[in-house]
Amino acid sequence: MTQHSVHESQPSAGWDADRYDSQFGYVSALAGGVVDLLAPLPGETVLDLGCGTGELAATIAARGARVIAVDGDPAMVAAATGRLGSGVLLADGHDFRIDEQVDAVFSNAALHWMTRPAEVVAAVRRALRPGGRFVAEFGGAHNVAGILAAVRAALAELGLTEGARMPWYFPSPGQYATLLEEHGFQVLRMDYFARPTELTDCPRGVADWVVMFGASLIGHVPADRREAVLARINDLAAPTLLRDGRWYADYHRLRFAAVREPAGASDAAAVG
Ligand code: BEZ
């Protein structure tokens, strides 16, 4: 296992796992659909890639599967280990390796942090047995476009554009299906949908979201200008993302199920 961070765009201090659970609990709470799509079975081994604090890994384990949980952030690994007890590995999603081949790889709200997706898909394929499934949900094209527009505009207005970096990979369904097929997966399902999500536990609205997730976007801002930037982001986001006193994040999800082509499947197809 290599020891780099899956969430490599976050600051070197890493994630605040407690805050992630308390303020952004919806990340796991809204993932029932993708767990159902995975449909874990008793006795299966499932690898949860980018497990975060381990909440969904625990849900999968409760359905009887053995879970190997992987995350690139030490604070998340510590939180997941606290929840699961064992079976949590610190590893980079781009090049993780395990000593066995699993029945399924699962991932929720993590693949968009891994900005070299071909490497990730190759690592997932390597970890799966032939016929094993890859089931995941993550941010697709146009994800959080309203938030990003407000951040960019606020930075531009305040002369602070230099140093900001877009840390995420948000592909279209066609792009991601093609990538999977190029790496020997059969795509069984690829859903793409808008899922505006109320930021119920973020009293400062979009500013709180940016503080939690947007270190690459605003980390370069001098401390004495930070509050001004955050306030301006909220001003600019409000017309589209504040409705009836409630703040929303404009999420767009890709949710898919694919299977690793069984060994020799393409040869069999070639001979008819
Ligand atoms: C998402 O779940 O789509 C997401 C979360 C944090 C940052 C970017 C995207």
Side-chain angles (χ1 to χ4, degrees):
M1 291 280 183
T2 49
Q3 303 291 305
H4 311 292
S5 174
V6 168
H7 299 122
E8 59 191 20
S9 298
Q10 285 300 102
S12 53
W15 289 80
D16 180 340
D18 289 338
R19 189 159 171 228
Y20 186 83
D21 266 354
S22 63
Q23 229 176 354
F24 299 92
Y26 64 77
V27 174
S28 296
L30 296 177
V34 67
V35 175
D36 288 343
L37 187 59
L38 171 70
L41 295 172
E44 283 193 321
T45 298
V46 176
L47 186 147
D48 181 355
L49 183 58
C51 66
T53 61
E55 200 167 339
L56 294 176
T59 301
I60 294 166
R63 296 206 193 177
R66 170 179 161 246
V67 180
I68 301 170
V70 174
D71 204 283
D73 184 84
M76 290 301 195
V77 167
T81 301
R83 182 171 258 138
L84 302 169
S86 62
V88 186
L89 306 173
L90 177 68
D92 184 343
H94 294 91
D95 63 3
F96 69 96
R97 287 176 187 271
I98 51 171
D99 297 333
E100 61 184 294
Q101 287 189 316
V102 298
D103 298 299
V105 172
F106 170 84
S107 185
N108 180 59
L111 297 178
H112 47 249
W113 291 100
M114 305 176 202
T115 52
R116 301 189 306 283
E119 293 174 35
V120 176
V121 174
V124 168
R125 185 176 194 279
R126 202 163 48 224
L128 278 173
R129 65 166 171 79
R133 55 206 198 280
F134 182 21
V135 177
E137 181 170 317
F138 69 112
H142 309 293
N143 198 35
V144 295
I147 295 179
L148 284 172
V151 171
R152 287 194 184 107
L155 291 175
E157 271 183 21
L158 297 166
L160 291 165
T161 312
E162 188 93 0
R165 200 165 51 80
M166 163 72 183
W168 304 299
Y169 164 67
F170 297 142
S172 70
Q175 284 168 334
Y176 207 71
T178 300
L179 184 72
L180 289 167
E181 287 174 357
E182 284 171 352
H183 286 79
F185 284 93
Q186 182 187 2
V187 179
L188 301 178
R189 182 164 168 173
M190 179 67 68
D191 297 337
Y192 175 56
F193 51 95
R195 195 203 65 198
T197 301
E198 189 183 346
L199 299 171
T200 44
D201 297 306
C202 296
R204 291 195 64 199
V206 163
D208 281 342
W209 188 97
V210 172
V211 168
M212 182 70 191
F213 296 118
S216 300
L217 300 170
I218 61 155
H220 64 290
V221 172
D224 61 346
R225 303 193 66 193
R226 202 177 147 88
E227 284 310 309
V229 168
L230 290 170
R232 191 61 188 138
I233 289 171
N234 266 358
D235 287 347
L236 292 164
T240 47
L241 298 176
L242 180 62
R243 295 192 284 279
D244 299 327
R246 299 165 195 259
W247 284 101
Y248 292 83
D250 52 338
Y251 287 119
H252 286 71
R253 315 316 284 165
L254 271 187
R255 181 186 293 172
F256 67 87
V259 290
R260 178 182 162 169
E261 295 277 10
S266 49
D267 300 344
V271 294

